Amino acid sequence: MLPTPQAISPRAIRLTSHVLMAAGLLLVLWLRLLPVLLSALLVYELVLVVSPLLRARLSNARARALVVALISALVVGLLVAIALGALGLMQQDLGVSLSGWQEQVMSLIAKARQQLPQSWVAFLPATVDELRLVLVEQLHKHAAALQIAGRETLRVLLQILIGLVLGSIVSLTQASRSQHEGPLSQSLLVRCKRLASSFHDIVFAQFRISLLNTLCTAFLLLIVMPLCGVTLPFTKSLIVLTFLAGLMPVIGNLISNTAITIAALSISPLVGVASLAYLIVIHKLEYFLNARIVGSKIRASVWELLIAMLVMEAAFGIPGVIAAPVYYAYLKCELRGENLI
């Protein structure tokens, strides 16, 4: 005879929900479904933030559900429009800057020919046409890898789109959820709400930090450098990359700094060093804000997030790095919920 729900202890139910949640989060990484999870959480949290402003004025349950549906569609459409706009901007920037970039690369190669040993100079292209031939040969050599990368990109974009739809569906279902559910369902719902809350704390705080970082970087690339008579190639793309990479704590700075420094070095070593020095100063400020904003939200230091990202990267690669801040924030939320920390 199976035990009734009343006969099962709340501790056993809570432990079961913890095990199921942990298994689900690990499966998300193992099955490479992280884009679905993150995009769904993003839509869900955005709807959760916006919908109470309108639902409070409506008493009918169906009207409130309709408002949530409209907001979900608006949020999904806005996110898709922003993504397409960013891709279009980067494509336009690439087309405008490509010829100038080739000239700057050849100028850098010419300087390298004067400074490097003669045994190394033979491996450097002498003209733009030779450089173009080298690039074409490399493309043919790595054609299979590029095809795999293209398929992976398409898969990730499709998963993000599915996640956006799922997040809107879940937010709509949540608006009309029945309270008459089993104890395990209620306990799993608590786990999911804590995960969503952890995602909110990390992503929305990091969004503010990334926005400030992007504004400071744009000030350097669009105002300071032109005033000094320097125009960096791919300026718009670098600004977009700075914002997107900045959404990842700690490691995002390394990605954007590396790209900007390489672009600045193509102008001259002095410009590269000056740009790197400016970015280091800006990111020192960002680390302070990270500790104040993100750390205060999840009660964690920057070094804790860094260790979590290193461990997750060793276990799951790049998806582990992206998931680590959210997973670690959720872990601390559950430990605090159990009064263990």
Side-chain angles (χ1 to χ4, degrees), residues 2-320:
L2 295 176
T4 61
Q6 291 78 9
I8 302 176
S9 67
R11 182 181 180 85
I13 294 173
R14 193 166 63 252
L15 179 60
T16 302
S17 68
H18 281 302
V19 172
L20 291 175
M21 191 67 177
L25 291 177
L26 290 176
L27 277 175
V28 164
L29 291 173
W30 186 47
L31 298 176
R32 300 188 300 171
L33 295 175
L34 185 63
V36 178
L37 175 63
L38 296 183
S39 56
L41 286 173
L42 178 60
V43 171
Y44 177 80
E45 283 299 315
L46 287 174
V47 173
L48 202 65
V49 169
V50 176
S51 60
L53 302 177
L54 298 178
R55 284 191 301 169
R57 301 181 181 181
L58 300 173
S59 58
N60 187 279
R62 291 184 178 179
R64 291 198 298 269
L66 178 60
V67 169
V68 174
L70 293 175
I71 293 175
S72 301
L74 180 62
V75 167
V76 171
L78 183 61
L79 290 175
V80 171
I82 291 175
L84 293 177
L87 290 175
L89 181 63
M90 294 178 70
Q91 184 179 10
Q92 178 187 5
D93 197 13
L94 180 63
V96 171
S97 302
L98 189 56
S99 59
W101 177 255
Q102 290 178 345
E103 295 176 0
Q104 290 164 357
V105 170
M106 292 308 302
S107 175
L108 187 62
I109 291 176
K111 294 178 182 178
R113 284 179 173 275
Q114 301 173 0
Q115 300 174 3
L116 295 176
Q118 289 298 321
S119 58
W120 294 11
V121 171
F123 296 98
L124 299 176
T127 63
V128 174
D129 292 333
E130 189 176 340
L131 174 62
R132 190 178 295 110
L133 287 176
V134 171
L135 294 176
V136 170
E137 289 177 1
Q138 291 298 318
L139 289 176
H140 284 299
K141 183 178 179 180
H142 300 286
L146 291 174
Q147 289 178 355
I148 294 175
R151 287 197 297 268
E152 284 295 307
T153 302
L154 183 60
R155 180 186 64 83
V156 170
L157 292 177
L158 181 60
Q159 286 189 352
I160 290 175
L161 182 60
I162 293 174
L164 295 177
V165 176
L166 284 176
S168 62
I169 293 175
V170 170
S171 61
L172 179 59
T173 305
Q174 191 69 21
S176 56
R177 175 179 287 274
S178 173
Q179 300 297 323
H180 303 289
E181 296 181 346
L184 182 58
S185 297
Q186 294 178 5
S187 185
L188 282 172
L189 182 61
V190 172
R191 310 278 83 75
C192 293
K193 286 183 176 180
R194 287 180 177 177
L195 176 63
S197 176
S198 301
F199 175 84
H200 178 277
D201 291 341
I202 284 290
V203 172
F204 282 71
Q206 194 64 34
F207 175 84
R208 286 181 286 176
I209 296 173
S210 179
L211 184 60
L212 176 61
N213 181 26
T214 303
L215 291 175
C216 294
T217 303
F219 177 76
L220 169 68
L221 299 182
L222 299 178
I223 297 178
V224 175
M225 284 192 171
L227 288 177
C228 297
V230 176
T231 301
L232 231 60
F234 308 112
T235 299
K236 298 176 183 177
S237 299
L238 289 173
I239 293 174
V240 173
L241 175 64
T242 300
F243 176 74
L244 295 178
L247 296 176
M248 293 185 291
V250 184
I251 194 173
N253 294 339
L254 298 177
I255 296 174
S256 59
N257 283 3
T258 301
I260 294 173
T261 303
I262 291 175
L265 284 172
S266 68
I267 305 297
S268 71
L270 180 60
V271 175
V273 172
S275 300
L276 182 60
Y278 177 86
L279 294 172
I280 289 175
V281 172
I282 292 301
H283 293 138
K284 285 295 183 182
L285 172 63
E286 182 178 340
Y287 284 138
F288 174 76
L289 292 175
N290 199 310
R292 290 290 301 272
I293 299 176
V294 178
S296 63
K297 287 287 185 180
I298 66 173
R299 302 179 191 176
S301 303
V302 175
W303 65 266
E304 293 181 67
L305 292 176
L306 183 57
I307 291 177
M309 285 189 284
L310 289 174
V311 173
M312 292 288 283
E313 191 279 333
F316 301 103
I318 297 300

Side-chain angles (χ1 to χ4, degrees), residues 198 298-301 304 327-338 341:
S198 301
I298 66 173
R299 302 179 191 176
S301 303
E304 293 181 67
Y327 278 33
Y328 185 71
Y330 169 67
L331 174 62
K332 297 207 71 170
C333 182
E334 289 289 4
L335 291 175
R336 285 197 303 270
E338 298 294 330
I341 58 174

